Each structure stands twice: as C-alpha cells, then as structure tokens.
Amino acid sequence: LIDGGKITAVGVGLTAPAGARVIDAKGKYVMPGGIDTHTHCQLPFMGTEAIDDFNVGTQAAVAGGTTMLIDFAIPTKGES
C-alpha cells in the first residue's frame, strides 16, 4: 500500500482502503527504484576529478528512476 507517496505496507492479502486505486502487478517485478552500482561522483583520477558531485549525481539518478547509487572507488596500493 502507498499512502502520500510512501510505501506503508507490503504483503499478501492486503486490503485497500475504500476509493483506493488498485494496480494489478500479478506476474510483475515491483521495485521502488533502481540501484546503480557503478557511479563516478567526484572520482579523483590522474590529477582530475569527475565533473559530477554527489548533489548533481543523485539528482540525475532520481530523475531517471534510480533511487540508490554505489560510487566507484579506486583503492591505493595496499588497500582493498
């Protein structure tokens, strides 16, 4: 169930309030948004830095339906 734009309940056999719009998602994958596991926000590389910072990068992501990102990391020698 979604109330005011927020997911309030997930489960089988939920009862929708009177007047609620019901969307049949049977046989579908339902996800609140995508996850981008390889981004380059403020990435330092060879004396330069990626043009997107986390503010711009996350705004661009959510505009495209991505609700989470995992930024790329370059470990230095001896790090993992």
Side-chain angles (χ1 to χ4, degrees):
L1 295 175
I2 299 174
D3 185 16
K6 292 186 179 183
I7 299 171
T8 58
V10 176
V12 177
L14 298 174
T15 303
R21 185 175 93 168
V22 177
I23 300 171
D24 183 4
K26 186 177 182 179
K28 308 281 189 238
Y29 291 107
V30 178
M31 295 179 278
I35 302 171
D36 188 342
T37 60
H38 186 116
T39 62
H40 296 273
C41 295
Q42 295 174 230
L43 176 73
F45 185 69
M46 297 182 69
T48 65
E49 189 172 288
I51 195 166
D52 289 339
D53 59 18
F54 284 94
N55 183 45
V56 172
T58 53
Q59 287 181 40
V62 78
T66 299
T67 57
M68 180 179 162
L69 57 84
I70 301 171
D71 204 45
F72 187 76
I74 300 177
T76 58
K77 188 174 183 174
E79 294 180 330
S80 60

